[in-house]
mmCIF file of all heavy atoms in Angstrom:
data_model
loop_
_atom_site.group_PDB
_atom_site.id
_atom_site.type_symbol
_atom_site.label_atom_id
_atom_site.label_comp_id
_atom_site.label_asym_id
_atom_site.label_seq_id
_atom_site.Cartn_x
_atom_site.Cartn_y
_atom_site.Cartn_z
ATOM 1 N N SER A 5 46.593 79.306 85.144
ATOM 2 C CA SER A 5 45.435 79.362 84.245
ATOM 3 C C SER A 5 45.766 79.917 82.856
ATOM 4 O O SER A 5 44.876 80.188 82.072
ATOM 5 C CB SER A 5 44.347 80.218 84.894
ATOM 6 O OG SER A 5 44.906 81.444 85.302
ATOM 7 N N GLU A 18 60.774 79.367 91.028
ATOM 8 C CA GLU A 18 62.227 79.296 91.215
ATOM 9 C C GLU A 18 62.909 80.584 90.764
ATOM 10 O O GLU A 18 63.908 81.018 91.318
ATOM 11 C CB GLU A 18 62.766 78.157 90.357
ATOM 12 C CG GLU A 18 63.702 77.227 91.054
ATOM 13 C CD GLU A 18 63.892 76.010 90.184
ATOM 14 O OE1 GLU A 18 63.074 75.067 90.286
ATOM 15 O OE2 GLU A 18 64.831 76.026 89.379
ATOM 16 N N GLN A 28 51.519 89.873 81.031
ATOM 17 C CA GLN A 28 51.720 88.423 80.915
ATOM 18 C C GLN A 28 50.380 87.694 80.880
ATOM 19 O O GLN A 28 50.190 86.758 80.103
ATOM 20 C CB GLN A 28 52.607 87.928 82.064
ATOM 21 C CG GLN A 28 54.053 88.412 81.919
ATOM 22 C CD GLN A 28 54.892 88.304 83.179
ATOM 23 O OE1 GLN A 28 54.409 87.881 84.226
ATOM 24 N NE2 GLN A 28 56.154 88.709 83.087
ATOM 25 N N ILE A 44 51.469 96.302 74.632
ATOM 26 C CA ILE A 44 51.848 97.650 75.066
ATOM 27 C C ILE A 44 51.675 97.727 76.572
ATOM 28 O O ILE A 44 50.559 97.618 77.090
ATOM 29 C CB ILE A 44 50.947 98.712 74.385
ATOM 30 C CG1 ILE A 44 50.914 98.486 72.863
ATOM 31 C CG2 ILE A 44 51.428 100.124 74.723
ATOM 32 C CD1 ILE A 44 49.852 99.286 72.140
ATOM 33 N N GLY A 50 57.462 93.419 82.835
ATOM 34 C CA GLY A 50 57.595 91.987 82.519
ATOM 35 C C GLY A 50 57.228 91.596 81.102
ATOM 36 O O GLY A 50 56.767 90.473 80.860
ATOM 37 N N VAL A 87 71.853 90.486 74.732
ATOM 38 C CA VAL A 87 72.434 89.645 75.781
ATOM 39 C C VAL A 87 71.415 89.403 76.895
ATOM 40 O O VAL A 87 71.208 88.279 77.350
ATOM 41 C CB VAL A 87 73.712 90.309 76.363
ATOM 42 C CG1 VAL A 87 74.193 89.578 77.612
ATOM 43 C CG2 VAL A 87 74.805 90.356 75.304
ATOM 44 N N LEU A 127 66.018 79.142 68.297
ATOM 45 C CA LEU A 127 65.512 80.452 68.714
ATOM 46 C C LEU A 127 66.686 81.424 68.785
ATOM 47 O O LEU A 127 67.632 81.221 69.545
ATOM 48 C CB LEU A 127 64.828 80.332 70.088
ATOM 49 C CG LEU A 127 64.236 81.608 70.691
ATOM 50 C CD1 LEU A 127 63.198 82.239 69.772
ATOM 51 C CD2 LEU A 127 63.596 81.307 72.058
ATOM 52 N N ALA A 143 74.958 82.025 56.940
ATOM 53 C CA ALA A 143 75.006 81.329 58.218
ATOM 54 C C ALA A 143 73.619 81.315 58.874
ATOM 55 O O ALA A 143 73.363 80.524 59.776
ATOM 56 C CB ALA A 143 76.016 81.988 59.142
ATOM 57 N N LEU A 154 59.444 91.604 67.681
ATOM 58 C CA LEU A 154 60.193 92.854 67.696
ATOM 59 C C LEU A 154 60.041 93.437 69.084
ATOM 60 O O LEU A 154 58.954 93.873 69.465
ATOM 61 C CB LEU A 154 59.649 93.850 66.656
ATOM 62 C CG LEU A 154 59.595 93.399 65.198
ATOM 63 C CD1 LEU A 154 59.179 94.563 64.303
ATOM 64 C CD2 LEU A 154 60.939 92.846 64.747
ATOM 65 N N GLU A 156 60.936 96.364 71.798
ATOM 66 C CA GLU A 156 61.111 97.804 71.538
ATOM 67 C C GLU A 156 60.656 98.097 70.100
ATOM 68 O O GLU A 156 61.351 98.747 69.310
ATOM 69 C CB GLU A 156 62.560 98.242 71.754
ATOM 70 C CG GLU A 156 63.134 97.899 73.126
ATOM 71 C CD GLU A 156 62.417 98.604 74.267
ATOM 72 O OE1 GLU A 156 61.741 99.620 74.031
ATOM 73 O OE2 GLU A 156 62.510 98.113 75.412
ATOM 74 N N GLY A 174 61.456 91.213 54.567
ATOM 75 C CA GLY A 174 61.299 90.674 53.212
ATOM 76 C C GLY A 174 61.789 89.234 53.090
ATOM 77 O O GLY A 174 61.370 88.509 52.192
ATOM 78 N N LEU A 218 55.465 104.390 90.721
ATOM 79 C CA LEU A 218 56.747 103.816 91.145
ATOM 80 C C LEU A 218 57.927 104.734 90.857
ATOM 81 O O LEU A 218 58.948 104.677 91.525
ATOM 82 C CB LEU A 218 56.979 102.471 90.454
ATOM 83 C CG LEU A 218 56.162 101.294 90.966
ATOM 84 C CD1 LEU A 218 56.400 100.065 90.107
ATOM 85 C CD2 LEU A 218 56.496 100.977 92.420
ATOM 86 N N VAL A 249 73.362 107.845 84.819
ATOM 87 C CA VAL A 249 73.345 109.236 84.356
ATOM 88 C C VAL A 249 73.306 109.255 82.833
ATOM 89 O O VAL A 249 74.160 108.649 82.175
ATOM 90 C CB VAL A 249 74.606 109.990 84.850
ATOM 91 C CG1 VAL A 249 74.634 111.410 84.299
ATOM 92 C CG2 VAL A 249 74.649 110.012 86.375
ATOM 93 N N MET A 272 81.859 104.668 85.474
ATOM 94 C CA MET A 272 82.265 104.132 84.173
ATOM 95 C C MET A 272 81.304 104.672 83.122
ATOM 96 O O MET A 272 80.295 105.294 83.462
ATOM 97 C CB MET A 272 82.260 102.594 84.175
ATOM 98 C CG MET A 272 83.399 101.990 84.991
ATOM 99 S SD MET A 272 83.331 100.185 85.070
ATOM 100 C CE MET A 272 84.268 99.749 83.610
ATOM 101 N N GLU A 285 81.407 95.119 80.224
ATOM 102 C CA GLU A 285 82.027 95.096 81.549
ATOM 103 C C GLU A 285 81.388 96.160 82.454
ATOM 104 O O GLU A 285 81.041 95.903 83.610
ATOM 105 C CB GLU A 285 83.535 95.355 81.440
ATOM 106 C CG GLU A 285 84.240 95.229 82.773
ATOM 107 C CD GLU A 285 85.606 95.925 82.815
ATOM 108 O OE1 GLU A 285 86.136 96.285 81.740
ATOM 109 O OE2 GLU A 285 86.122 96.121 83.939
ATOM 110 N N GLY A 293 75.981 95.712 91.114
ATOM 111 C CA GLY A 293 76.067 96.615 92.264
ATOM 112 C C GLY A 293 77.466 97.001 92.695
ATOM 113 O O GLY A 293 77.651 97.570 93.763
ATOM 114 N N PRO A 325 60.614 112.741 73.428
ATOM 115 C CA PRO A 325 59.862 112.495 74.659
ATOM 116 C C PRO A 325 59.702 111.009 74.960
ATOM 117 O O PRO A 325 59.693 110.604 76.122
ATOM 118 C CB PRO A 325 58.496 113.133 74.364
ATOM 119 C CG PRO A 325 58.778 114.185 73.340
ATOM 120 C CD PRO A 325 59.874 113.624 72.494
ATOM 121 N N ILE A 359 58.038 117.560 76.803
ATOM 122 C CA ILE A 359 58.139 116.178 77.288
ATOM 123 C C ILE A 359 57.032 115.877 78.300
ATOM 124 O O ILE A 359 56.354 114.849 78.222
ATOM 125 C CB ILE A 359 59.536 115.925 77.919
ATOM 126 C CG1 ILE A 359 60.602 115.860 76.822
ATOM 127 C CG2 ILE A 359 59.549 114.643 78.755
ATOM 128 C CD1 ILE A 359 62.036 115.771 77.326
#
Side-chain angles (χ1 to χ4, degrees):
S5 51
E18 228 167 274
Q28 290 164 359
I44 309 168
V87 170
L127 180 58
L154 303 186
E156 305 297 340
L218 285 175
V249 176
M272 288 177 89
E285 185 200 346
I359 288 174

